[in-house]
Amino acid sequence: MGEYVETLASSLRGLAQFSGRSSRSRFWPYALTITVVSMFALAAVMIPIFIEIFQKMLAYADAHPEQATVSRTSTSFSISIDGAPPEVMSAFGGVAPAIGLFTVVTVVLLAAAVSRRLHDAGSSALWGLAPLPFLAFSLTMFGKLFGQDVASGGWVGLFMLVFASNLLYLLALGNLVFRLCQRSQPGDNRFGPPAV
């Protein structure tokens, strides 16, 4: 447990240290901890947002029964609303900013560690940047997607762009994870001596 805590503390102290090298045994406990903590923190923030969305949908269904279908069984509950009424869609406004904020914090906490780990495997830290443009585009467009008028069909093109961006993001992220999993290069490399 002491080694794990030291690994986390060392990585947190190196938040602004993009040079040097970091072994897999130092990188992965930190990276996985940051990822898991970020996911739980995001879930804690998102649960109230989704409760608000559900309450607005239920209120809209009660006020407009001709535009909504509410299905209840002993094991499920669903609400289907025709169209995209502004009073319901406005509740989705908090989703994209919350996801964006947690994404930025996670990227900041991982950036230097990813850079050092890539260096240790003999790769340029620039590989760590590859997923970011697709992630930023998808997060930005995700918020706009919910503002589109469903009846006009204008959302289809935007949806396809976000879908394509997400596929490219997953490919870039997969490549990055593959590089992060590579063995340390023995001895000195162009990024310095081996990690201690």
Side-chain angles (χ1 to χ4, degrees):
M1 187 65 162
E3 186 176 333
Y4 169 74
V5 171
E6 173 51 33
T7 297
L8 294 183
S10 172
S11 293
L12 286 171
R13 284 191 301 269
L15 280 179
Q17 180 188 347
F18 288 83
S19 61
R21 295 169 62 176
S22 181
S23 66
R24 289 186 293 191
S25 63
R26 298 290 278 182
F27 171 77
W28 283 110
Y30 173 73
L32 293 174
T33 299
I34 294 298
T35 302
V36 168
V37 168
S38 178
M39 288 170 55
F40 277 106
L42 179 60
V45 168
M46 295 300 285
I47 287 171
I49 292 172
F50 281 114
I51 288 173
E52 178 189 357
I53 290 169
F54 181 76
Q55 289 171 337
K56 284 191 174 189
M57 289 178 72
L58 193 54
Y60 184 84
D62 286 342
H64 304 90
E66 72 286 352
Q67 293 179 317
T69 305
V70 178
S71 302
R72 292 180 174 106
T73 69
S74 60
T75 58
S76 68
F77 183 88
S78 69
I79 302 171
S80 176
I81 296 176
D82 295 333
E87 54 265 48
V88 173
M89 297 308 288
S90 66
F92 283 94
V95 173
I99 293 172
L101 174 65
F102 278 91
T103 300
V104 167
V105 169
T106 303
V107 167
V108 166
L109 290 173
L110 290 175
V114 166
S115 176
R116 293 190 305 270
R117 177 68 204 111
L118 287 168
H119 289 167
D120 190 55
S123 292
S124 169
L126 294 176
W127 285 108
L129 299 175
L132 296 182
F134 306 112
L135 180 62
F137 177 81
S138 293
L139 286 174
T140 303
M141 293 299 113
F142 179 75
K144 292 183 180 190
L145 187 59
F146 281 106
Q148 294 291 314
D149 181 11
V150 174
S152 72
W155 64 275
V156 175
L158 184 57
F159 175 82
M160 294 308 291
L161 278 174
V162 171
F163 183 78
S165 176
N166 285 340
L167 284 179
L168 292 170
Y169 165 74
L170 290 173
L171 287 171
L173 184 63
N175 179 55
L176 175 59
V177 170
F178 174 77
R179 290 175 180 279
L180 293 170
C181 290
Q182 298 297 303
R183 292 178 189 264
S184 299
Q185 285 191 330
D188 292 0
N189 69 13
R190 61 189 171 129
F191 301 107
V196 268

